[in-house]
Amino acid sequence: MKETENIKDPNQLDLFAGVLLTTEQQEQANTYIETQKKNSEYAQNKHKQVVELLLENNFVEGVHFEQSCKVTIETRETTLGSRYNNTSFEAEVEIEECDSQIYLLGQNFYIWETDKKLKPAKFWFNVEKGKIQCGPITEQYRFCKPKTILEKLKIHNEKAANQFEEFKQKENLEKNTINKYTKLYPDAEVISKDGYTKYRGSFKIVEVKFKSGSYVQFELDTYNNKEYIGKRFDAELEKLTAEELLERFNNQ
């Protein structure tokens, strides 16, 4: 939020770049300054109200939100009037700026990102009539009670942490399984694949494939940190005729 201004020279006529301001121009400049001052005061009051709203509803600064409200004064060249009727002019003014920043604090984990890390995040939000709107944590753009938002913020952060832990377990199980069967069968090709079923959803598969064409697939259970035998294929068995297959089964 950027607000308030004070003319450098309070006289009705001000010398700027060799140009005198007319009485009308001076009035416009004064009006502009007063408007900016009101906007700055409004921003500061709004900031204070929002912080109080958060604190009253058990938000902890530094844990659930961060805030800063800085008011500075600087000199700026401002264009006033209108270009449409050739009344625009420039004036050098002292402006007061109010920079209000309030964010909810959380964390995100996105599997599609290259580094695949759990990262701290800041969530912008809006406040209206004592309620808060924060789409990134509610997954919908509607205003909710502050305590509801706090609960949803905690759920969002917990969900992100759980997703990260699940990813780490999945990644470690996959690496460990590949390493285990690579050492046991150095001549075999050990690779990772993606699997999917309607009831289980997506999961990882480690396939151990031999030179003969035979293979065994292990489905990875990250919840129990185990692998289970899934599909298997015997290339030699596939070459047998029906009689040879029956005879083989008969001799088992």
Side-chain angles (χ1 to χ4, degrees):
M1 306 176 187
K2 305 264 183 192
E3 332 315 310
T4 315
E5 312 193 346
N6 269 316
I7 276 233
K8 238 181 158 183
D9 186 343
N11 294 330
Q12 214 171 32
L13 297 181
D14 188 19
L15 184 62
F16 175 68
V19 179
L20 291 175
L21 297 181
T22 66
T23 300
E24 184 179 353
Q25 289 174 338
Q26 184 70 57
E27 290 176 351
Q28 290 183 48
N30 291 341
T31 300
Y32 174 75
I33 292 168
E34 185 61 28
T35 300
Q36 296 305 307
K37 181 176 177 60
K38 290 179 179 178
N39 289 341
S40 177
E41 292 173 347
Y42 174 82
Q44 293 174 59
N45 290 332
K46 179 73 177 292
H47 182 97
K48 181 180 178 181
Q49 291 170 6
V50 172
V51 171
E52 289 177 350
L53 177 68
L54 295 176
L55 293 174
E56 289 170 358
N57 286 277
N58 300 323
F59 285 79
V60 178
E61 185 173 355
V63 177
H64 303 125
F65 76 97
E66 70 173 24
Q67 60 89 17
S68 65
C69 186
K70 298 178 180 179
V71 179
T72 58
I73 296 177
E74 65 178 41
T75 300
R76 171 184 296 174
E77 295 179 9
T78 301
T79 300
L80 301 172
S82 173
R83 290 187 177 88
Y84 295 104
N85 56 12
N86 295 320
T87 61
S88 63
F89 66 97
E90 292 184 346
E92 184 177 277
V93 293
E94 261 187 5
I95 64 169
E96 177 185 292
E97 292 185 326
C98 175
D99 184 11
S100 169
Q101 303 286 339
I102 310 178
Y103 295 98
L104 298 184
L105 299 177
Q107 53 191 10
N108 284 327
F109 173 70
Y110 298 118
I111 189 66
W112 58 82
E113 290 186 343
T114 305
D115 54 1
K116 294 179 175 57
K117 292 182 179 179
L118 183 65
K119 299 177 181 178
K122 296 180 181 181
F123 304 119
W124 178 89
F125 64 98
N126 194 17
V127 176
E128 187 175 292
K129 297 180 179 178
K131 292 187 176 182
I132 299 174
Q133 177 196 63
C134 185
I137 65 171
T138 62
E139 299 181 355
Q140 54 184 324
Y141 290 89
R142 67 184 184 89
F143 287 88
C144 303
K145 293 179 179 179
K147 289 184 178 179
T148 301
I149 292 295
L150 178 58
E151 185 61 29
K152 287 185 178 293
L153 176 63
K154 293 177 180 178
I155 292 173
H156 172 91
N157 293 337
E158 183 179 351
K159 181 180 178 181
N162 290 340
Q163 288 174 335
F164 178 60
E165 287 302 318
E166 182 180 346
F167 165 75
K168 287 199 301 183
Q169 289 181 7
K170 188 174 183 179
E171 188 179 50
N172 291 338
L173 178 59
E174 182 180 339
K175 287 181 179 179
N176 293 338
T177 305
I178 290 175
N179 290 337
K180 179 172 70 173
Y181 290 111
T182 298
K183 290 179 180 179
L184 288 172
Y185 308 102
D187 293 332
E189 181 186 19
V190 184
I191 60 173
S192 175
K193 293 184 173 182
D194 293 318
Y196 179 84
T197 64
K198 179 179 179 181
Y199 299 103
R200 287 184 59 189
S202 60
F203 55 92
K204 279 291 183 179
I205 293 172
V206 171
E207 180 181 273
V208 183
K209 189 172 184 178
F210 299 88
K211 292 180 180 180
S212 64
S214 300
Y215 65 80
V216 176
Q217 292 184 346
F218 295 92
E219 297 179 0
L220 305 185
D221 179 358
T222 54
Y223 183 79
N224 294 300
N225 201 34
K226 293 181 179 180
E227 78 266 15
Y228 298 94
I229 292 179
K231 290 179 62 178
R232 64 198 79 185
F233 175 77
D234 187 334
E236 294 299 325
L237 197 63
E238 289 297 311
K239 296 176 183 178
L240 298 178
T241 65
E243 292 77 9
E244 290 173 331
L245 184 60
L246 290 170
E247 186 64 25
R248 178 170 177 173
F249 286 164
N250 186 53
N251 295 327
Q252 287 181 348

